[in-house]
Amino acid sequence: MILIISGTSEMKFQRLVDAVNASKYLDKMVFQHGVNSMEMFLGRECQDYWTRSDMLKYIKSADLIISHAGIGSILDCLYFNKKLILVERKQELFRIKG
């Protein structure tokens, strides 16, 4: 199983969504899609957010994880010695609040 983690940020991660949707391995993927639209993932196992225990269960069972570059996701994947592909959010896409 390939686990896709888009994180819990309030910002959409369209680059990650587009890259995943272009994959020929969609039938083997599970998505944590965050604020990204559900209709992008119709017919696939997905959830907007998981509890911590559910997230760890998915990480433990994944063969490969494709994730935003969040420190929590990185540390969890390293702890379970998982293959990990990180997709960074481009700095110019961040919004500054204040």
Side-chain angles (χ1 to χ4, degrees):
M1 180 258 291
I2 301 170
L3 176 62
I4 312 299
I5 305 172
S6 71
T8 58
S9 171
E10 64 189 37
M11 295 179 290
K12 292 189 177 189
F13 202 167
Q14 194 61 43
R15 288 184 322 115
L16 178 58
V17 171
D18 291 345
V20 167
N21 278 333
S23 170
K24 63 182 177 181
Y25 301 105
L26 287 174
D27 59 329
K28 299 176 183 177
M29 295 183 179
V30 174
F31 297 85
Q32 177 273 313
H33 61 81
V35 297
N36 296 291
S37 175
M38 279 288 281
E39 30 315 323
M40 295 176 193
F41 306 110
L42 288 177
R44 299 174 212 136
E45 186 177 347
C46 62
Q47 182 69 33
D48 52 357
Y49 302 101
W50 286 309
T51 64
R52 174 98 175 115
S53 61
D54 285 343
M55 177 62 83
L56 293 176
K57 179 180 71 174
Y58 279 106
I59 290 172
K60 284 181 196 177
S61 63
D63 299 305
L64 173 67
I65 299 164
I66 302 172
S67 177
H68 71 116
I71 189 63
S73 298
I74 293 169
L75 291 175
D76 289 340
C77 293
L78 289 173
Y79 180 81
F80 292 110
N81 198 31
K82 293 296 179 172
K83 296 176 187 171
L84 177 62
I85 297 173
L86 296 174
V87 182
E88 69 174 339
R89 293 186 192 270
K90 291 185 176 179
Q91 186 63 33
E92 62 268 19
L93 300 177
F94 281 92
R95 293 178 297 197
I96 298 173
K97 293 183 177 183

